[in-house]
Amino acid sequence: MSIIGVLVIGLLIGLLARFITPGPNPRGIIVTIVIGIVGAVIATYGGQALGLYQFGEPAGFIGSVIGAVVLLVLLKLIDR
């Protein structure tokens, strides 16, 4: 996938995760894109560790959103 595609999908995942997670969230389009991309990475490796995905198989869209929500919750816990 091209870099532009990764950024657009990361933005969509980050926006959806920010919408799902209650309370104030980090602002800015760059931060939202990074949250979406890192959420996909968390979902991929977490899913492989749990046996949901095989090695080399990327996480799906819903798994990526769940990974981004987990990231936002962890960021809020650290920020306290």
Side-chain angles (χ1 to χ4, degrees):
M1 185 181 279
S2 69
I3 297 295
I4 301 293
V6 170
L7 294 177
V8 169
I9 297 296
L11 177 63
L12 291 174
I13 291 169
L15 285 174
L16 193 57
R18 284 178 58 182
F19 179 73
I20 292 172
T21 308
N25 291 311
R27 305 223 183 250
I29 193 165
I30 302 297
V31 174
T32 303
I33 291 171
V34 170
I35 287 172
I37 293 170
V38 172
V41 171
I42 289 172
T44 297
Y45 290 117
Q48 288 175 0
L50 293 173
L52 300 173
Y53 302 116
Q54 301 215 0
F55 179 74
E57 183 180 6
F61 188 80
I62 294 176
S64 298
V65 171
I66 292 170
V69 168
V70 168
L71 176 64
L72 283 173
V73 168
L74 289 175
L75 287 175
K76 285 184 182 184
L77 289 175
I78 291 172
D79 192 33
R80 281 186 170 178

